[in-house]
Amino acid sequence: MSKKRQLAAPKVEVPISETALKNEIRDATTTISSEIKSKQVNRIANFLQDLPDEELLRFEFYVRSHLTRNRVKDVMKEALSVKEVDDEMAIIVGGLTKLFIGELCDHAVDAIEETGESGNIRPDHIREAYRRLHRDGSINLQPDTFHPFTESSKTRVVSMDDLLS
């Protein structure tokens, strides 16, 4: 029996243009990100299917709610005693505020259920939720001792660099 010998084809490197390489990377990235997005959409859909109608409605209101950037900037200017606030900072603080309000409302609903009450959230429920968060150490706001910037900051623009430094 004779053995056939296979010859390996020589490897030839084909030069690829920078544009073609960028397009290839973009296509691969798009494919990966679309797969991740579809997995996230499926996960969210499964989560929403299991929610009772009342909680689904609450979740929908939460998702659709927002704080206007200009109002957030106004509050930040007043609270920090600065003349200008960066747009990025207002977006970040607005998002964090929304999360905080959601957490506060969630604890307020827990307070309602624990007392056996029913109906809408009232101010006393919000106060109780805030008290519980403070007791548990989730929040620690001390406005009299909280000074993130010096006196010279009144003429500065608050930006991301201020938080990261």
Side-chain angles (χ1 to χ4, degrees), residues 67-84:
L67 301 167
T68 60
R69 188 179 317 154
N70 288 335
R71 184 64 185 133
V72 171
K73 287 171 91 170
D74 291 343
V75 171
M76 288 178 66
K77 285 178 196 175
E78 188 175 327
L80 299 174
S81 301
V82 294
K83 291 186 177 183
E84 197 62 38

Side-chain angles (χ1 to χ4, degrees), residues 125-137:
H125 300 132
I126 297 289
R127 284 189 289 273
E128 176 62 20
Y130 181 83
R131 187 190 67 73
R132 289 179 183 188
L133 287 169
H134 195 285
R135 179 195 65 206
D136 297 340

Side-chain angles (χ1 to χ4, degrees), residues 49-117:
Q49 279 180 330
D50 296 337
L51 284 179
D53 290 341
E54 183 179 319
E55 287 188 32
L56 184 61
L57 185 63
R58 190 180 307 142
F59 177 75
E60 186 178 338
F61 279 122
Y62 175 77
V63 169
R64 291 185 182 189
S65 66
H66 72 283
L67 301 167
T68 60
R69 188 179 317 154
N70 288 335
R71 184 64 185 133
V72 171
K73 287 171 91 170
D74 291 343
V75 171
M76 288 178 66
K77 285 178 196 175
E78 188 175 327
L80 299 174
S81 301
V82 294
K83 291 186 177 183
E84 197 62 38
V85 175
D86 199 355
D87 278 346
E88 290 175 345
M89 283 295 297
I91 292 169
I92 291 168
V93 170
L96 292 174
T97 303
K98 183 178 173 180
L99 289 173
F100 174 71
I101 292 170
E103 187 75 16
L104 198 61
C105 289
D106 190 40
H107 280 76
V109 168
D110 291 344
I112 291 171
E113 290 172 353
E114 286 177 12
T115 58
E117 299 177 35

Side-chain angles (χ1 to χ4, degrees), residues 2-60:
S2 67
K3 291 185 178 179
K4 291 185 180 178
R5 186 172 167 188
Q6 288 184 332
L7 297 175
K11 294 184 179 179
V12 178
E13 292 188 24
V14 179
I16 186 167
S17 70
E18 187 177 329
T19 307
L21 183 60
K22 285 180 182 178
N23 289 339
E24 233 178 271
I25 292 171
R26 187 189 69 235
D27 292 343
T29 306
T30 303
T31 303
I32 291 170
S33 66
S34 66
E35 288 173 7
I36 291 171
K37 284 180 185 178
S38 72
K39 286 180 182 178
Q40 287 176 338
V41 166
N42 289 337
R43 196 173 328 143
I44 291 171
N46 291 336
F47 168 74
L48 294 177
Q49 279 180 330
D50 296 337
L51 284 179
D53 290 341
E54 183 179 319
E55 287 188 32
L56 184 61
L57 185 63
R58 190 180 307 142
F59 177 75
E60 186 178 338

